Amino acid sequence: MPLFSPRLRAVFIILFISTSFGFAQQNNKSFFPAGSRVCFIGNSITNNGEYYNDLWIYYATRFPAQKIRFYNCGISGDVATGILKRMDKDVLIHRPTHAVMMIGMNDVKRELYGKANSNETLKQQALAAYRSSTEAAVKILKKNVEGVTLLKPSIYDQTAVMETENLYGVNDALQRCAEHMQFLSEKYHTNLVDFQSVLLRINKEEQLKDPAFTIIGKDRVHPQSAGHFVMAYQFLKDTKSPQYVSKLIIGDDLKASQEGSFNAEIRKQSNTDSLLTFECLEKSLPFPIKESAADALKWVPFNEEFNTELLQVKKILPGNYHLFIDDVFIAGVTAKNLSTGINLALYKNTPQYRQAITVMNTCIKYRDVEAVIRNLRFVEFMHLSELKDASDTTLVAGYLKNRLKTLKSGGHYEYHQKQFKNYLLKKSSETEALRQLSVLADTIYQVNQPQVHVFKIVKQQ
């Protein structure tokens, strides 16, 4: 009978990458340095805020000593020309040090595609307008922002077999947008992240098994949580983000452990044949993965590439052991597991992981409050930009009522009706929402500070 079930064996990872201190140290650099103010610019996929919120969770747990601030600058339904119009009031107003831009899903004018529509002239005109406006936006960002990152846009799912009308050809147009992002990146020396390739690859692989599978939502446009997580993964990969949370390489004595470990301080070590104890201050926390995004782990090796919290004991007697952290039982492990190394980030019952959950929940709360602000900005930039006095609530209400009438035949009527209603209800509380965001941004960097923990590895008789 095997000592461990397949499920438990999956918890242990064999590391083929060098565990030398120097190698890991070279790869522990934050893409966004301390003090960064990062604007994520785009349409509804950015406005959703999930992939960039996943990224903030990564930076808040991996680099807790380097305080940064992320700003959602996405507007539902926006196009590149819209970004140009709101650049000063919605992006540069945040005084960003870094800008990340993804746009294209609406620029290609999806209504031009599908069986009933084949006006090639209009399609090419839309792409030409996209190329011109995105280049203008990049020029402005390069002039005003230290670091610019362009994203090859996420996909339109034109291959899944499902009831939603398939506007076939939309993703071909988005691939032209992706090619243009690469051209702009090379021309203006920006960073580049490729969302297209990874999402297409997952769709292709999974749709061979199930033609109805989609990494995107049922509307073929908006990724769900797992899709956003894949996008966050690809961002980390293309920006060469570090793999290790920490390395706890426990040697024969305290000095050996201190010299061998990485991103952690080992203290008060005691070794006997039956008990190994030490205190440890890891300088990062593991990444907590939301249940709604867990499916993504089947498609991308996130834990192996970006979430390795290694515990390795160099010399240990054969046998079975119990691992405790702060007197809490974590897992039963073998000497072989420990000598090879286990990934503590995979254990959701560690105090480090529980602390990381608190960080994640604070980031999610920030996203929820920020969504209120983004919905206000949607109405203001998409519908009130031509109104001379938007401070008069009665005037705004009448204007939006008339505006809604014109949208009855244009689609998304219920969505606009909801947004207009929310705007009138919540505009007066905007100042308080902005205050909450500042408090939550500070709170993230209070609850994420690593703590000293006591490890015990006890040999079983």
Side-chain angles (χ1 to χ4, degrees):
M1 180 177 179
L3 184 60
F4 293 99
S5 68
R7 182 177 181 183
L8 186 56
R9 287 200 302 271
V11 172
F12 304 110
I13 63 169
I14 299 176
L15 299 169
F16 296 99
I17 300 174
S18 168
T19 59
S20 69
F21 179 85
F23 177 83
Q25 190 176 43
Q26 292 173 1
N27 288 273
N28 199 48
K29 184 178 179 181
S30 173
F31 181 69
F32 298 119
S36 294
R37 301 167 65 85
V38 189
C39 286
F40 286 77
I41 310 163
N43 50 38
S44 58
I45 298 168
T46 301
N47 182 72
N48 173 281
E50 193 160 5
Y51 87 86
Y52 107 85
N53 198 255
D54 288 338
L55 288 174
W56 200 351
I57 295 168
Y58 173 86
Y59 280 97
T61 52
R62 187 58 50 87
F63 304 104
Q66 300 182 30
K67 187 175 182 179
I68 63 175
R69 179 80 178 264
F70 282 0
Y71 296 89
N72 188 330
C73 298
I75 293 284
S76 293
D78 209 2
V79 293
T81 54
I83 290 173
L84 289 173
K85 291 177 181 177
R86 61 184 175 90
M87 183 70 77
D88 289 334
K89 294 182 178 180
D90 197 38
V91 179
L92 299 182
I93 194 173
H94 298 299
R95 297 176 288 107
T97 59
H98 296 75
V100 180
M101 185 174 76
M102 177 174 70
I103 200 71
M105 186 64 73
N106 303 309
D107 297 78
V108 300
K109 296 188 176 179
R110 297 193 300 276
E111 67 274 10
L112 297 175
Y113 293 82
K115 294 180 181 179
N117 300 292
S118 59
N119 191 318
E120 293 301 323
T121 299
L122 292 179
K123 292 176 183 178
Q124 293 307 314
Q125 287 176 352
L127 288 172
Y130 173 83
R131 287 191 288 267
S132 175
S133 295
T134 50
E135 182 159 12
V138 171
K139 286 181 179 179
I140 295 171
L141 292 173
K142 286 291 292 184
K143 183 178 179 180
N144 291 277
V145 180
E146 293 175 20
V148 177
T149 301
L150 302 180
L151 309 180
K152 292 186 177 182
S154 58
I155 67 171
Y156 174 89
D157 193 338
Q158 61 186 34
T159 54
V161 177
M162 53 185 173
E163 293 182 1
T164 307
E165 181 184 6
N166 188 354
L167 303 176
Y168 192 83
V170 168
N171 200 62
D172 299 85
L174 284 171
Q175 287 183 298
R176 304 292 82 75
C177 295
E179 291 166 2
H180 184 62
M181 286 298 102
Q182 181 158 347
F183 166 78
L184 291 179
S185 180
E186 293 170 357
K187 181 176 180 179
Y188 292 99
H189 307 289
T190 77
N191 301 294
L192 182 69
V193 174
D194 181 4
F195 288 164
Q196 272 277 314
S197 296
V198 65
L199 295 172
L200 285 174
R201 186 265 295 172
I202 293 169
N203 257 3
K204 183 178 180 179
E205 292 175 354
E206 295 300 319
Q207 286 170 4
L208 287 174
K209 310 170 194 173
D210 176 9
F213 172 88
T214 179
I215 186 64
I216 307 300
K218 292 184 178 180
D219 67 353
R220 301 183 183 271
V221 172
H222 297 93
Q224 302 303 294
S225 290
H228 275 273
F229 188 86
V230 167
M231 290 156 63
Y233 159 84
Q234 193 63 40
F235 189 100
L236 296 174
K237 189 175 184 68
D238 285 349
T239 56
K240 298 179 173 57
S241 299
Q243 172 188 358
Y244 286 99
V245 176
S246 61
K247 290 183 180 182
L248 313 183
I249 312 296
I250 308 304
D252 291 338
D253 54 33
L254 180 60
K255 182 179 179 181
S257 299
Q258 290 173 333
E259 291 176 350
S261 295
F262 164 70
N263 207 37
E265 297 177 12
I266 309 297
R267 308 170 182 175
K268 297 182 181 179
Q269 180 176 328
S270 174
N271 297 53
T272 69
D273 288 346
S274 60
L275 177 65
L276 166 64
T277 65
F278 61 91
E279 289 185 3
C280 178
L281 174 62
E282 296 169 86
K283 297 180 181 179
S284 299
L285 297 171
F287 184 97
I289 296 170
K290 295 174 289 188
E291 289 186 11
S292 60
D295 280 348
L297 298 179
K298 297 183 292 187
W299 310 317
V300 294
F302 177 84
N303 285 319
E304 295 82 352
E305 294 185 9
F306 300 113
N307 197 29
T308 302
E309 185 183 10
L310 177 67
L311 171 61
Q312 184 179 29
V313 181
K314 299 293 283 186
K315 293 183 181 179
I316 190 166
L317 293 175
N320 297 323
Y321 292 80
H322 282 174
L323 168 64
F324 296 85
I325 303 178
D326 297 341
D327 291 324
V328 174
F329 175 73
I330 305 302
V333 292
T334 67
K336 183 178 180 181
N337 299 143
L338 290 168
S339 62
T340 299
I342 62 173
N343 185 359
L344 290 174
L346 303 184
Y347 295 85
K348 297 183 179 181
N349 58 341
T350 69
Q352 300 96 311
Y353 196 96
R354 292 198 299 271
Q355 184 182 359
I357 289 289
T358 301
V359 178
M360 179 184 74
N361 288 338
T362 309
C363 288
I364 292 173
K365 177 62 176 175
Y366 183 98
R367 176 190 169 212
D368 291 343
V369 176
E370 192 173 40
V372 175
I373 300 298
R374 295 320 299 167
N375 291 339
L376 296 179
R377 299 294 177 262
F378 164 77
V379 175
E380 290 165 352
F381 287 110
M382 300 296 279
H383 297 284
L384 295 178
S385 60
E386 296 180 1
L387 186 63
K388 291 183 178 180
D389 185 9
S391 63
D392 187 325
T393 305
T394 303
L395 183 63
V396 169
Y399 186 90
L400 291 178
K401 183 178 180 180
N402 290 330
R403 181 74 171 164
L404 192 61
K405 292 178 182 178
T406 68
L407 296 170
K408 279 192 174 182
S409 59
H412 304 293
Y413 176 81
E414 291 79 9
Y415 173 79
H416 285 93
Q417 185 180 45
K418 179 181 177 181
Q419 295 305 316
F420 291 175
K421 180 180 179 180
N422 285 340
Y423 183 86
L424 296 171
L425 287 172
K426 297 180 179 180
K427 179 62 178 177
S428 62
S429 61
E430 178 180 358
T431 300
E432 173 59 20
L434 291 171
R435 187 196 68 80
Q436 288 182 40
L437 287 180
S438 294
V439 171
L440 287 166
D442 289 337
T443 302
I444 290 169
Y445 288 90
Q446 294 167 2
V447 300
N448 72 341
Q449 296 304 302
Q451 307 295 319
V452 176
H453 298 290
V454 178
F455 287 68
K456 292 182 182 179
I457 300 174
V458 184
K459 194 174 190 298
Q460 300 304 293
Q461 302 300 322

